[in-house]
Amino acid sequence: MSQMTQVAALALLAAGVCADAAAAQDIKLTPLIDARLRYEHVDQEGVADQADAVTMRMRTGIQAKAGPLTALVEAEATLKIAGAFNNGLNGRPLPVIPDPNDVEINRVQFGYEKDGLALIAGRQVLELGDQRFVGSANWRQNQQTFDAVRAKWTHGKLSVDAAYSWDVRTVNGIDGKGARPRSVSGNNWFGQIGYATPIGTLGAFAYLVDQNLSALSGYRLSNQTYGLRLTGVRQIAKGWKLAYVASIARQSDYARNPNRYAATYYLGEATLSGPIVSATAGYEVLGADRGVALTSIQTPLASFFKFQGWASKFTTTPPDGLRDLYGTIGGSWKSKGMITGYGVAGTYHRFASDRLVRLYGDEIDAIGFLKFNRYTLAARLARYVAKGFATDTTKVFLTLDWVM
């Protein structure tokens, strides 16, 4: 059975089950709309011309709910409005802005939820943990989704989350090919378990990623990662909280990966937040093995924009690994009237190798945003200064989001 046939069968099953449930109770219908207009500018040293892109992304769908049963279908379309850029597929000699035109079924899923048990089957979004290893890559206009089955169970302080995915729909859209494929098949297994303790939620995770496509680095992105994670929040004074995260993991080759390697991942982060101001300090290490390409910690299914700077210079971890020392300070305010909130923030990154420690570069990211009704208007700036890896890069983003 083909992948699309499997998804279609799940959709028909969802519709049939919800129709049967309607005999016993009413069906609640919820429209889904998520739109984003974005301008992106890239000035990259070593590429003669700059890139500019104005793109529009629209997701529309509907969710039907009848008692414990749900069915959801959502379409996604991305359209280039203006600009000249390399969209990752057209081969133009310009900086890459990987938002190609696209029209596709983004999600089609069936769900059941009752008594602490939730089951989901079909094309769906998977955002596991902080999305460091498995996420939706939602910053790109074309979202990353998974043809998968997933089960979640909670009982008191214990939670269990397990998923199997046989196909990953990438951000490259329906015209994806070669090293930027439309989808990547494979036997992907994801598992998380968490337990609430007095100091926070202690969890363990296992992510077995099977990138079963020769054109995608010759299977060398297939890996298995096992780790522990602690997250917690403490109130330290009236209106002030301290949130903290600590994680450690070990990654090695998996499935058809011809490399034989093992590398270690570390994360430590603390955030102090008050009524207006917040400050974060963190240190993340994507370890290396022996300095051979793709034998350091790799995260091909991550939501990359959340990590290592908005200039996106490290979506593939260098052979000698990566250390990221970072700090963020920002402020946000709520308001009455047409504008309901606004804020600013800035982040500094210091990038270095993990093996044979040497400086890669520095990056400064800044954001300002306004919220009004269902709209969010944001301006972002990313400036990466190379000291030993890649090239100087400046990016500017202007986005307008509207979500129902």
Side-chain angles (χ1 to χ4, degrees), residues 332-343:
S332 61
W333 295 263
K334 293 182 178 180
S335 177
K336 295 181 179 179
M338 187 176 69
I339 296 176
T340 56
Y342 54 96

PDB file of all heavy atoms in Angstrom, residues 332-343:
ATOM      1  N   SER A 332       8.427  42.236  27.676  1.00  0.00           N
ATOM      2  CA  SER A 332       7.130  42.203  27.004  1.00  0.00           C
ATOM      3  C   SER A 332       6.096  42.878  27.890  1.00  0.00           C
ATOM      4  O   SER A 332       6.166  42.811  29.114  1.00  0.00           O
ATOM      5  CB  SER A 332       6.702  40.762  26.696  1.00  0.00           C
ATOM      6  OG  SER A 332       6.583  40.005  27.888  1.00  0.00           O
ATOM      7  N   TRP A 333       5.157  43.553  27.230  1.00  0.00           N
ATOM      8  CA  TRP A 333       4.151  44.331  27.922  1.00  0.00           C
ATOM      9  C   TRP A 333       2.777  43.990  27.368  1.00  0.00           C
ATOM     10  O   TRP A 333       2.627  43.736  26.168  1.00  0.00           O
ATOM     11  CB  TRP A 333       4.393  45.823  27.717  1.00  0.00           C
ATOM     12  CG  TRP A 333       5.664  46.325  28.324  1.00  0.00           C
ATOM     13  CD1 TRP A 333       5.833  46.929  29.533  1.00  0.00           C
ATOM     14  CD2 TRP A 333       6.983  46.266  27.733  1.00  0.00           C
ATOM     15  NE1 TRP A 333       7.156  47.252  29.732  1.00  0.00           N
ATOM     16  CE2 TRP A 333       7.881  46.867  28.654  1.00  0.00           C
ATOM     17  CE3 TRP A 333       7.490  45.777  26.520  1.00  0.00           C
ATOM     18  CZ2 TRP A 333       9.245  46.968  28.386  1.00  0.00           C
ATOM     19  CZ3 TRP A 333       8.834  45.872  26.261  1.00  0.00           C
ATOM     20  CH2 TRP A 333       9.697  46.469  27.186  1.00  0.00           C
ATOM     21  N   LYS A 334       1.801  43.961  28.252  1.00  0.00           N
ATOM     22  CA  LYS A 334       0.416  43.811  27.830  1.00  0.00           C
ATOM     23  C   LYS A 334      -0.233  45.187  27.780  1.00  0.00           C
ATOM     24  O   LYS A 334       0.137  46.091  28.524  1.00  0.00           O
ATOM     25  CB  LYS A 334      -0.351  42.903  28.784  1.00  0.00           C
ATOM     26  CG  LYS A 334       0.123  41.461  28.764  1.00  0.00           C
ATOM     27  CD  LYS A 334      -0.701  40.588  29.692  1.00  0.00           C
ATOM     28  CE  LYS A 334      -0.244  39.137  29.639  1.00  0.00           C
ATOM     29  NZ  LYS A 334      -1.032  38.260  30.537  1.00  0.00           N
ATOM     30  N   SER A 335      -1.203  45.319  26.893  1.00  0.00           N
ATOM     31  CA  SER A 335      -1.830  46.617  26.693  1.00  0.00           C
ATOM     32  C   SER A 335      -3.317  46.432  26.451  1.00  0.00           C
ATOM     33  O   SER A 335      -3.762  45.363  26.023  1.00  0.00           O
ATOM     34  CB  SER A 335      -1.176  47.329  25.496  1.00  0.00           C
ATOM     35  OG  SER A 335      -1.803  48.560  25.237  1.00  0.00           O
ATOM     36  N   LYS A 336      -4.064  47.477  26.723  1.00  0.00           N
ATOM     37  CA  LYS A 336      -5.490  47.470  26.435  1.00  0.00           C
ATOM     38  C   LYS A 336      -5.733  48.266  25.162  1.00  0.00           C
ATOM     39  O   LYS A 336      -4.969  49.158  24.803  1.00  0.00           O
ATOM     40  CB  LYS A 336      -6.276  48.074  27.594  1.00  0.00           C
ATOM     41  CG  LYS A 336      -6.188  47.263  28.885  1.00  0.00           C
ATOM     42  CD  LYS A 336      -7.016  47.887  29.993  1.00  0.00           C
ATOM     43  CE  LYS A 336      -6.946  47.059  31.265  1.00  0.00           C
ATOM     44  NZ  LYS A 336      -7.737  47.661  32.384  1.00  0.00           N
ATOM     45  N   GLY A 337      -6.791  47.922  24.479  1.00  0.00           N
ATOM     46  CA  GLY A 337      -7.087  48.606  23.236  1.00  0.00           C
ATOM     47  C   GLY A 337      -6.782  47.732  22.043  1.00  0.00           C
ATOM     48  O   GLY A 337      -6.724  46.495  22.135  1.00  0.00           O
ATOM     49  N   MET A 338      -6.552  48.358  20.896  1.00  0.00           N
ATOM     50  CA  MET A 338      -6.325  47.609  19.676  1.00  0.00           C
ATOM     51  C   MET A 338      -5.050  46.784  19.766  1.00  0.00           C
ATOM     52  O   MET A 338      -4.999  45.628  19.353  1.00  0.00           O
ATOM     53  CB  MET A 338      -6.247  48.556  18.471  1.00  0.00           C
ATOM     54  CG  MET A 338      -6.171  47.821  17.140  1.00  0.00           C
ATOM     55  SD  MET A 338      -6.208  48.925  15.716  1.00  0.00           S
ATOM     56  CE  MET A 338      -4.595  49.713  15.903  1.00  0.00           C
ATOM     57  N   ILE A 339      -3.978  47.351  20.310  1.00  0.00           N
ATOM     58  CA  ILE A 339      -2.731  46.618  20.518  1.00  0.00           C
ATOM     59  C   ILE A 339      -2.793  45.936  21.876  1.00  0.00           C
ATOM     60  O   ILE A 339      -2.909  46.588  22.904  1.00  0.00           O
ATOM     61  CB  ILE A 339      -1.517  47.555  20.438  1.00  0.00           C
ATOM     62  CG1 ILE A 339      -1.402  48.158  19.031  1.00  0.00           C
ATOM     63  CG2 ILE A 339      -0.241  46.809  20.788  1.00  0.00           C
ATOM     64  CD1 ILE A 339      -0.299  49.169  18.883  1.00  0.00           C
ATOM     65  N   THR A 340      -2.730  44.609  21.863  1.00  0.00           N
ATOM     66  CA  THR A 340      -2.898  43.849  23.105  1.00  0.00           C
ATOM     67  C   THR A 340      -1.573  43.461  23.763  1.00  0.00           C
ATOM     68  O   THR A 340      -1.561  43.010  24.904  1.00  0.00           O
ATOM     69  CB  THR A 340      -3.707  42.573  22.829  1.00  0.00           C
ATOM     70  OG1 THR A 340      -3.057  41.812  21.793  1.00  0.00           O
ATOM     71  CG2 THR A 340      -5.121  42.928  22.366  1.00  0.00           C
ATOM     72  N   GLY A 341      -0.468  43.599  23.035  1.00  0.00           N
ATOM     73  CA  GLY A 341       0.821  43.280  23.617  1.00  0.00           C
ATOM     74  C   GLY A 341       1.952  43.654  22.682  1.00  0.00           C
ATOM     75  O   GLY A 341       1.768  43.765  21.467  1.00  0.00           O
ATOM     76  N   TYR A 342       3.135  43.870  23.247  1.00  0.00           N
ATOM     77  CA  TYR A 342       4.305  44.182  22.443  1.00  0.00           C
ATOM     78  C   TYR A 342       5.550  43.840  23.245  1.00  0.00           C
ATOM     79  O   TYR A 342       5.507  43.680  24.480  1.00  0.00           O
ATOM     80  CB  TYR A 342       4.322  45.664  22.025  1.00  0.00           C
ATOM     81  CG  TYR A 342       4.204  46.653  23.154  1.00  0.00           C
ATOM     82  CD1 TYR A 342       5.320  47.231  23.722  1.00  0.00           C
ATOM     83  CD2 TYR A 342       2.948  47.010  23.661  1.00  0.00           C
ATOM     84  CE1 TYR A 342       5.214  48.142  24.767  1.00  0.00           C
ATOM     85  CE2 TYR A 342       2.817  47.917  24.689  1.00  0.00           C
ATOM     86  CZ  TYR A 342       3.959  48.486  25.238  1.00  0.00           C
ATOM     87  OH  TYR A 342       3.842  49.385  26.277  1.00  0.00           O
ATOM     88  N   GLY A 343       6.674  43.697  22.536  1.00  0.00           N
ATOM     89  CA  GLY A 343       7.883  43.320  23.234  1.00  0.00           C
ATOM     90  C   GLY A 343       9.117  43.393  22.355  1.00  0.00           C
ATOM     91  O   GLY A 343       9.029  43.547  21.131  1.00  0.00           O
TER      92      GLY A 343
END
